[in-house]
Amino acid sequence: MLGLAHRGFSLYHPRQHLAAYLGEHGWHTALAGIQHLHFGDEQERPYSELMAAEKDKGWTAHDSSVADNACAFLSRMQAKQDATGSTTPFFLDCGFWYPHRPFPEPDDKVARSPSADFVATPFGSFDSAATRADTAGFLAAVMHMDACVGEVLDALDASSVRDDTLVIFTVDHGIAFPGHKCQLTDRGTGVALMIRLPGDSKAIGTRQALVSHLDLFPTICDLADLDQPDWLEGVSLRPLLGADNDTELRDEVFSEVTYHAAYEPQRSVRTSSHRLVQRFDNDPLPVPANVDDSASKSALLDAGWLQHHRRSVELYDLKLDPQETENRIDDPALATLRSELEQRLEKWMRDTDDPLLSGPVPAPNSAIVDPRDRISPS
């Protein structure tokens, strides 16, 4: 899938969606909240059940209703088990909006408002009263989402299905600030991932290993004793979920972006020590349409960001430069490494039949695509 569903893009293979696969194996699949893979006809969505969330009173109310619906779903699973003595295996997808923009004002679910006087703006953001207020709004969104997730976990913990349930918490991209979301540095692709195993398991702590969202599908199959389909990519994370803290499952992870609001084709390979990013267009200027409107974006625009040229290939040493600020692509000392990473990236693109190998990727006729120089995506 090379672009956004609500802008006219679609999955090449919709029946390979996780919910579709689980449904074919007798699972009850439910969606509470948003998803970004199917748009339009609800009959096309691969869930047994769709729970409508509140949409007319803002995103704070939306996420609260997502939590309420998820809790009600768990209560129904509990009642079904009490009545029949058994429970149909279920997959519950809780799609919260926050911390997407627009950010909220704190409500009664947030204990107190983060003060704009005492927050550090995200890396790469100009520090001003306006950007600190923007960051405070982001923190309020995180706090509200956290409270909603807590409600769902409390409902699960109070149910008899808690010890049979795998919990995965993750997000789809970096935070909605310039230089994060839609970029293929760690600020764009390094996202939250927390896993709680079924049973009365104790926390095993943090694992330092390269993993991908592609690994979640095979992990679920592994833990649920389901056969993995032949077309499935990724590796099971099960070896990381034990006591061994030194397990390495991957030598590399790949990431990509083609379309967001505008066309900005990029591919990346990251190892434990370096990252290579390649852009597949001839325009060195930033693409403002792919950056959400905000005070943080306005500060960059005012500072002349649109005249800041970018290189077509970037190479970062993640040990010496973890914030990925110094492009080492022309460093002779890294010439052999550069060649190796470029070969890895090309091989992966060929293995996945990447359409960029044939040149620029056209959007579907039905797609809404902004010009690259449009300032606002809205």
Side-chain angles (χ1 to χ4, degrees):
M1 186 171 187
L2 301 179
L4 298 169
H6 65 280
R7 281 178 168 255
F9 290 83
S10 61
L11 290 170
Y12 288 164
H13 306 288
R15 298 312 301 172
Q16 293 182 4
H17 189 288
L18 173 61
Y21 185 73
L22 293 176
E24 291 166 359
H25 285 76
W27 290 48
H28 182 83
T29 59
L31 172 66
I34 65 168
Q35 53 79 44
H36 272 332
L37 301 177
H38 294 266
F39 187 74
D41 187 358
E42 292 188 349
Q43 298 301 318
E44 296 179 358
R45 300 181 190 176
Y47 297 91
S48 313
E49 179 180 350
L50 299 175
M51 291 172 274
E54 175 63 59
K55 294 182 179 180
D56 298 330
K57 298 180 180 179
W59 291 113
T60 299
H62 172 276
D63 280 3
S64 295
S65 68
V66 170
D68 291 342
N69 287 338
C71 292
F73 175 85
L74 293 171
S75 295
R76 282 186 276 123
M77 292 296 101
Q78 174 75 67
K80 182 176 181 180
Q81 183 183 57
D82 292 343
T84 65
S86 63
T87 301
T88 300
F90 68 85
F91 170 70
L92 173 60
D93 185 346
C94 295
F96 295 105
W97 176 265
Y98 288 143
H100 281 95
R101 294 181 183 273
F103 300 146
E105 293 295 329
D107 65 3
D108 58 0
K109 290 184 180 294
V110 177
R112 59 187 176 87
S113 171
S115 171
D117 295 327
F118 300 101
V119 297
T121 58
F123 182 85
S125 295
F126 180 71
D127 186 13
S128 67
T131 56
R132 287 195 298 273
D134 192 26
T135 305
F138 166 71
L139 295 177
V142 171
M143 293 169 73
H144 181 70
M145 181 271 298
D146 184 67
C148 291
V149 171
E151 289 185 21
V152 179
L153 292 179
D154 286 346
L156 177 60
D157 288 346
S159 75
S160 61
V161 299
R162 187 264 189 222
D163 290 341
D164 298 316
T165 302
L166 171 70
V167 178
I168 299 174
F169 175 92
T170 192
V171 298
D172 56 347
H173 51 65
I175 60 176
F177 282 81
H180 294 253
K181 177 180 175 181
C182 284
Q183 299 304 308
L184 298 188
T185 61
D186 276 4
R187 296 189 297 279
T189 67
V191 298
L193 176 61
M194 292 182 281
I195 298 175
R196 190 176 81 178
L197 293 170
D200 189 22
S201 57
K202 296 181 180 179
I204 61 172
T206 302
R207 292 291 180 261
Q208 298 293 339
L210 291 174
V211 301
S212 166
H213 274 146
L214 291 175
D215 301 331
L216 293 179
F217 200 147
T219 301
I220 292 169
C221 289
D222 191 357
L223 293 171
D225 292 326
L226 291 173
D227 292 334
Q228 297 186 24
D230 294 339
W231 43 259
L232 191 61
E233 297 182 57
V235 295
S236 172
L237 301 179
R238 192 170 192 166
L240 290 176
L241 306 179
D244 184 2
N245 198 28
D246 299 322
T247 302
E248 290 287 349
L249 301 177
R250 290 175 166 273
D251 298 322
E252 63 207 2
V253 288
F254 299 96
S255 51
E256 66 178 62
V257 60
T258 305
Y259 284 90
H260 193 63
Y263 184 58
E264 190 178 7
Q266 304 173 59
R267 302 293 185 261
S268 172
V269 55
R270 187 205 194 280
T271 68
S272 60
S273 59
H274 292 83
R275 176 190 289 277
L276 181 105
V277 181
Q278 185 169 350
R279 293 187 171 84
F280 290 82
D281 52 42
N282 298 318
D283 189 344
L285 296 177
V287 184
N290 286 341
V291 179
D292 294 351
D293 294 337
S294 67
S296 299
K297 176 180 177 178
S298 296
L300 282 183
L301 292 171
D302 292 344
W305 171 57
L306 293 184
Q307 284 70 52
H308 179 74
H309 285 219
R310 305 177 300 176
R311 299 289 299 276
S312 60
V313 186
E314 299 171 1
L315 176 61
Y316 298 108
D317 185 324
L318 301 174
K319 293 185 176 180
L320 295 176
D321 178 28
Q323 294 291 356
E324 297 162 285
T325 61
E326 182 184 0
N327 185 5
R328 302 278 298 279
I329 196 64
D330 296 324
D331 189 335
L334 298 181
T336 300
L337 176 67
R338 171 185 177 174
S339 177
E340 176 192 338
L341 292 178
E342 288 177 334
Q343 290 175 33
R344 287 197 200 189
L345 187 60
E346 182 179 359
K347 180 181 183 303
W348 171 72
M349 292 176 68
R350 294 194 182 282
D351 289 345
T352 57
D353 197 21
D354 195 318
L356 278 175
L357 293 172
S358 301
V361 180
N365 292 333
S366 59
I368 301 171
V369 178
D370 288 359
R372 290 172 58 91
D373 59 354
R374 177 173 289 169
I375 299 299
S376 172
S378 56

